[in-house]
Amino acid sequence: IKVNTLDDELNTDGDCSFREAVLASENNADADKCQAVGVYGADTIDLTGLSGTIPVSGGELNLTENLTIIGSGMDKLILDGVDYSQRLFAVIGLSGSQAVEVSDLSINRFGYLPDTLFGGSLYVSKGNALKVDKVKFEDNHNLAGFGGAIGTSTGIVKISNSIFTNNQAQLGGAIANQNGIITSVNN
């Protein structure tokens, strides 16, 4: 699903935003000009044609299926939480060997409401898997909980070739793990 706008929108204006691409993937149905692949749980959101900042402020995205998100480079594309009022996404409801994979972008300025326990920008729930490669996490906050950038409660997280800068939390400034498995390589 190829994203062709930096706007964070959900409408019918004839383009494909990041939010619309996630919706198309999750519902296996077209959203605006984002065409669903039609194969349940095997989508790729392609952000490689974009450079700049996507201000993601329309609410947390729940990811429940296999999904790959590929950016144009951590120095070229930023997913920006704008005002620290939300997580970027929560990985929930995957089964078996399914995983969400994120690569080649920056995730900045996400946070969450005071009652959030895990993950200022990304949360991986029980039994779910997240793979992160070449992602820069900068200035994400979870001041009332655990993991300013990434938090997991019994999930599986694999992080490689990534950078963590100025992420803050009550515990685990960048990453927090409760009974999960976190593998970190070359970070």
Side-chain angles (χ1 to χ4, degrees):
I1 304 171
K2 189 148 184 86
V3 175
N4 59 16
T5 181
L6 294 172
D7 294 333
D8 181 27
E9 61 187 18
L10 184 54
N11 57 32
T12 57
D13 65 353
D15 57 18
C16 180
S17 72
F18 176 67
R19 183 171 301 279
E20 291 164 340
V22 170
L23 181 66
S25 173
E26 286 293 307
N27 294 332
N28 292 301
D30 296 353
D32 198 1
K33 290 296 179 180
C34 298
Q35 294 184 338
V37 175
V39 177
Y40 216 44
D43 292 317
T44 296
I45 295 178
D46 181 354
L47 301 162
T48 59
L50 299 176
S51 180
T53 300
I54 298 174
V56 183
S57 59
E60 176 179 318
L61 299 162
N62 290 322
L63 306 180
T64 62
E65 299 182 18
N66 268 348
L67 179 64
T68 300
I69 300 169
I70 303 172
S72 55
M74 70 170 83
D75 59 339
K76 293 182 180 177
L77 184 64
I78 299 169
L79 299 179
D80 187 354
V82 182
D83 61 3
Y84 305 101
S85 66
Q86 66 182 14
R87 267 193 211 118
L88 174 56
F89 62 74
V91 180
I92 57 175
L94 300 179
S95 62
S97 62
Q98 291 184 326
V100 170
E101 299 182 28
V102 181
S103 65
D104 296 299
L105 51 80
S106 288
I107 297 174
N108 300 358
R109 298 194 308 165
F110 285 91
Y112 207 56
L113 302 174
D115 61 347
T116 294
L117 190 56
F118 286 100
S121 62
L122 308 180
Y123 169 64
V124 184
S125 71
K126 182 178 181 178
N128 290 277
L130 171 68
K131 297 177 184 176
V132 174
D133 184 47
K134 295 178 276 207
V135 175
K136 182 177 183 181
F137 293 89
E138 185 169 9
D139 203 22
N140 298 289
H141 299 171
N142 187 5
L143 302 180
F146 307 100
I150 301 173
T152 183
S153 58
T154 64
I156 300 167
V157 179
K158 295 180 181 179
I159 306 165
S160 58
N161 307 304
S162 295
I163 299 169
F164 293 85
T165 304
N166 196 38
N167 298 283
Q168 300 175 32
Q170 184 178 22
L171 293 171
I175 303 167
N177 173 24
Q178 179 186 43
N179 301 318
I181 299 170
I182 293 183
T183 305
S184 177
V185 177
N186 198 30
N187 297 300

